[in-house]
Amino acid sequence: MARSRLLPDNFTLALLGTVALASILPATGSMGALLEHVTVGVVALLFFMHGAKLSRQAVLAGIGHWRLHLLVVGCTFALFPLLGLALQPVLAPLVTPELYVGVLFLCVLPATVQSAIAFTAVAGGNMAAAVCSASASTLLGIFITPVLVSVVLPQAGSAGQDVLAGILRIMVQLMLPFAAGHLLRPWIGGFMGRHAAALKYVDQGSVLLVVYTAFSAAVAGGLWQLLPLPALAGLLVVCAVILGLALTFTTWLSRRLGFAREDEITIVFCGSKKSLVSGVPIAKVLFDSEAAGAIVLPLMVFHQMQLMVCAVLAQRYARQGRAATVAAQG
């Protein structure tokens, strides 16, 4: 029997298992210190692989659609932070202050790449533009996210960095491996393509290791004592409200500005999603490990929620497209 689209995917189940393992058997002491160093290399490997996967031809194919790209970037890096800040008086009481810091952090992250492109394909959207927008969002996020963190989360400065130091650390730990991977793409791109299925597990395993390290430090610092169950339930409401408003605004803006249906689909799926794969390493770079555990928790909840909602929405767009085709032929 096929799994329902509303059920968590295997990666989400693995994330939940990782959090449970870190809660029961956190890595502390010398093991925790060792994992801190290991995750630096793992994060570099993760972004090296992202750079190697980035197709220059696909990006150039969609780069001319500048109005669409500006709207997606605006929704990703302006609409989301404005929603997080504007709704803070209403939504923050539903969760703890530490969790709402994580909510604001997810609001300043770049868009996801793989799932945004996959949902655009299922729904019948503009694939070239989706590849370009999603890839550009990941690249821009390396520079924009630490700047937005300093603006939206000025209290996070006490966690260790000013904006210039944050950008420098991201450049060294994320951007340099990303650029190296992309420059080596002519030589390793074929290998990456042939072994995409196996490399996906390296990709996901890197995220799981970073999550385990962050949650281990957070659990050792008393994370679960600071996060009562009502706050975790409130987090579901907070993520649902922000995702619902993001989907509503991206749909409304694309229609208000006169974009074609295929472009609307791309805008909705690229402009309303946030990247767990990029967000976890960025949190690792910008925040100390104890703080990062609570900060990535809202992102994990939002990640699964956006996958479930967008899977249903993509199918709806696809049915509408088939119905329109049948009506035109009839």
Side-chain angles (χ1 to χ4, degrees):
M1 181 182 295
R3 175 186 290 180
S4 169
R5 289 183 177 273
L6 296 179
L7 293 177
D9 59 10
N10 291 333
F11 181 50
T12 299
L13 293 175
L15 279 171
L16 295 175
T18 301
V19 172
L21 178 62
S23 300
I24 300 170
L25 296 172
T28 57
S30 58
M31 179 58 68
L34 175 62
L35 286 180
E36 288 286 343
H37 294 296
V38 171
T39 53
V40 173
V42 166
V43 167
L45 174 62
L46 181 64
F47 273 76
F48 177 86
M49 291 171 58
H50 280 318
K53 292 175 187 175
L54 181 61
S55 169
R56 212 167 302 173
Q57 292 78 12
V59 171
L60 292 176
I63 204 167
H65 210 338
W66 62 269
R67 289 179 66 244
L68 181 148
H69 303 319
L70 282 179
L71 182 55
V72 170
V73 169
C75 290
T76 302
F77 296 113
L79 174 63
F80 264 95
L82 289 174
L83 286 175
L85 290 172
L87 295 172
Q88 188 169 4
V90 178
L91 298 181
L94 299 177
V95 295
T96 64
E98 294 82 6
L99 279 182
Y100 206 79
V101 169
V103 171
L104 292 175
F105 176 69
L106 83 84
C107 287
V108 303
L109 288 173
T112 187
V113 178
Q114 290 93 337
S115 59
I117 295 172
F119 286 133
T120 299
V122 170
N126 186 332
M127 282 295 294
V131 171
C132 183
S133 283
S135 301
S137 179
T138 297
L139 189 59
L140 290 172
I142 294 175
F143 303 97
I144 296 177
T145 293
V147 176
L148 290 177
V149 165
S150 70
V151 174
V152 176
L153 294 171
Q155 70 272 27
S158 61
Q161 359 265 326
D162 57 34
V163 60
L164 291 179
I167 291 176
L168 180 60
R169 291 190 65 182
I170 283 183
M171 286 288 291
V172 172
Q173 296 186 33
L174 306 184
M175 186 61 189
L176 287 181
F178 185 94
H182 188 60
L183 289 174
L184 291 173
R185 177 177 168 79
W187 294 276
I188 65 176
F191 175 86
M192 299 285 290
R194 290 191 302 272
H195 298 86
L199 290 174
K200 179 184 71 173
Y201 295 106
V202 177
D203 198 352
Q204 295 178 349
S206 301
V207 174
L208 292 177
L209 181 58
V210 175
V211 168
Y212 175 73
T213 305
F215 267 90
S216 291
V219 168
L223 171 66
W224 297 122
Q225 287 73 31
L226 300 173
L227 297 180
L229 285 178
L232 294 177
L235 181 59
L236 293 173
V237 176
V238 171
C239 290
V241 169
I242 292 178
L243 177 60
L245 289 174
L247 288 168
T248 300
F249 275 115
T250 50
T251 303
W252 179 78
L253 284 170
S254 60
R255 294 177 182 177
R256 187 77 174 85
L257 295 174
F259 283 96
R261 179 181 177 278
E262 291 77 10
D263 294 337
E264 174 191 324
I265 292 170
T266 301
I267 292 166
V268 168
F269 288 122
C270 292
S272 66
K273 299 172 75 62
K274 291 296 180 175
S275 175
L276 179 73
V277 173
S278 295
V280 170
I282 290 175
K284 172 69 177 172
V285 173
L286 292 180
F287 304 96
D288 60 60
S289 293
E290 184 175 329
I295 285 172
V296 301
L297 188 57
L299 178 58
M300 291 170 60
V301 173
F302 190 87
H303 166 79
Q304 178 57 32
M305 192 174 291
Q306 71 183 4
L307 290 180
M308 293 189 298
V309 172
C310 289
V312 174
L313 188 58
Q315 292 295 331
R316 180 183 176 189
Y317 270 121
R319 287 194 299 269
Q320 291 174 345
R322 289 192 293 268
T325 301
V326 171
Q329 293 174 346

